[in-house]
């Protein structure tokens, strides 16, 4: 394949992702602002192979019942997985070998810090796999700590990942002080931890303090998980469910429409609006706007009208 056709196909593939780019800053015009992603995509195009994307996320549902319908995946995850699979199908029209997304389910990596029981995390990841099979989403697969460390106890797995790959607390604190993007991430995760703590008995300021401390741990483990994924999938194009600066090594991707760039299907409930479009909202808000719909005997989403 000529250099021109490789770069042209790679740019066309990236063009399909740009409308879904999730960033905290203004989005620039065109693919030239994303050299990391273009280079990675070109590697697969040149080799005539499917483009491989890794996406850390889909950890487990928020433990706060005001935000979600339960601890298992529901319509929010179903729609998000469908979106990712459709993106791969669209890439196939430009690049016949197609694309695949490896969902790197990270719940066990920081389950202790976000206060979600390990059996809920296993049940969520297993149900995610069933959703993928049930809907015939052949371009998606799930990768989690069980694929890396087998049947070791969850605490031992977390300790091993943290020791082997996490930045030190000092390094991270320095980064939060000096880098706007890391500070935004730290604040976003602190906010989630505060919102997700449903049973705290102390004062609001004590909760804030405790969540700020836990937020550092969550970022440390997330970084460690990212390093471990890169080791297992070294050529993959790295996606992120968090907003990313333009030109960063990771490409932030929006899975579904939501009023807040930080909202994910596992922190919310899906609402089908009267016009047929979908959005993600905290469960208490979605309940005010629509009626609850069950699927396979489980709460699935809300519907307006």
């Amino acid at each position: 394949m000529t250099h021109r056709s490789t770069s042209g196909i790679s740019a066309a593939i990236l063009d399909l992702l740009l409308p879904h780019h999730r960033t905290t800053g203004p989005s620039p015009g065109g693919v030239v602002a994303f050299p990391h992603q273009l280079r990675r995509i070109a590697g697969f195009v040149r080799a005539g192979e499917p483009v491989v994307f890794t996406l850390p996320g889909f950890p487990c549902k928020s433990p706060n019942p005001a935000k979600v319908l339960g601890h298992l995946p529901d319509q929010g995850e179903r729609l998000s997985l469908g979106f990712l699979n459709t993106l791969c199908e669209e890439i196939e029209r430009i690049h016949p070998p197609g694309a695949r997304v490896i969902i790197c389910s990270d719940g066990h990596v920081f389950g202790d810090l976000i206060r979600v029981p390990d059996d809920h995390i296993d049940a969520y990841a297993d149900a995610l796999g069933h959703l993928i099979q049930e809907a015939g989403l052949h371009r998606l697969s799930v990768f989690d700590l069980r694929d890396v460390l087998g049947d070791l106890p969850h605490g031992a797995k977390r300790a091993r990942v943290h020791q082997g790959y996490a930045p030190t607390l000092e390094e991270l604190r320095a980064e939060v002080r000096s880098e706007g993007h890391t500070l935004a991430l730290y604040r976003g995760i602190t906010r989630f931890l505060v919102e997700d703590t449903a049973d705290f008995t102390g004062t609001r300021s004590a909760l804030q303090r405790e969540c700020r401390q836990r937020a550092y741990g969550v970022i440390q483990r997330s970084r460690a998980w990212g390093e471990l994924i890169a080791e297992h999938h070294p050529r993959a194009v790295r996606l992120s469910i968090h907003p990313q600066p333009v030109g960063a090594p990771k490409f932030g991707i929006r899975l579904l429409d939501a009023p807040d760039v930080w909202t994910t299907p596992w922190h919310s409930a899906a609402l089908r609006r009267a016009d047929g479009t979908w959005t993600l909202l905290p469960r208490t808000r979605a309940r005010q706007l629509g009626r609850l719909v069950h699927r396979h005997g489980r709460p699935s989403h809300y519907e307006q009208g």
Side-chain angles (χ1 to χ4, degrees), residues 115-295:
R115 311 274 163 85
V116 174
D118 285 307
D119 58 338
H120 281 198
I121 294 168
D122 276 337
Y124 179 92
D126 292 343
L128 214 52
H130 291 312
L131 278 185
I132 288 169
Q133 283 179 323
E134 175 190 88
L137 308 176
H138 306 303
R139 292 156 186 86
L140 308 183
S141 60
V142 178
F143 171 85
D144 64 25
L145 268 185
R146 290 176 284 189
D147 296 297
V148 184
L149 294 169
D151 295 327
L152 274 181
H154 295 299
K157 287 180 190 174
R158 282 190 274 272
R160 195 172 290 192
V161 171
H162 193 111
Q163 286 157 12
Y165 300 92
T168 67
L169 199 51
E170 292 70 34
E171 287 168 334
L172 201 53
R173 284 186 195 280
E175 210 180 297
V176 165
R177 282 195 298 271
S178 64
E179 282 191 27
H181 167 65
T182 312
L183 177 62
L185 180 67
Y186 166 70
R187 284 179 174 158
I189 289 172
T190 302
R191 176 162 68 90
F192 275 134
L193 291 172
V194 169
E195 289 172 359
D196 284 1
T197 307
D199 53 0
F200 192 77
T201 51
T203 63
R204 180 82 180 170
S205 60
L207 174 61
Q208 289 273 10
R209 216 168 26 249
E210 195 229 42
C211 288
R212 282 198 289 269
Q213 202 174 339
R214 281 197 279 145
Y216 277 112
V218 170
I219 298 171
Q220 280 179 296
R221 303 263 189 92
S222 294
R223 290 276 179 88
W225 182 230
E227 292 297 317
L228 197 150
I229 292 165
E231 200 174 88
H232 282 258
H233 307 283
R235 296 171 57 217
V237 184
R238 300 167 69 177
L239 301 178
S240 173
I241 50 100
H242 293 132
Q244 296 291 329
V246 170
K250 292 186 225 167
F251 185 94
I253 192 160
R254 186 188 293 273
L255 301 173
L256 279 178
D257 177 52
D260 178 339
V261 291
W262 291 91
T263 304
T264 68
W266 45 94
H267 283 105
S268 59
L271 172 75
R272 184 176 183 158
R273 301 187 188 101
D275 63 3
T277 59
W278 292 90
T279 189
L280 295 171
L281 294 167
R283 184 187 69 84
T284 47
R285 180 78 185 115
R287 190 179 60 191
Q288 291 166 351
L289 298 172
R291 63 181 180 85
L292 183 61
V293 176
H294 284 73
R295 184 167 176 164

Side-chain angles (χ1 to χ4, degrees), residues 60-72 74 77 196 264-269 281-284 302:
C60 54
K61 285 291 196 185
S62 160
N64 186 349
K67 293 174 84 170
V68 295
L69 287 165
H71 71 271
L72 293 173
D74 51 40
E77 280 83 1
D196 284 1
T264 68
W266 45 94
H267 283 105
S268 59
L281 294 167
R283 184 187 69 84
T284 47
Y302 289 91

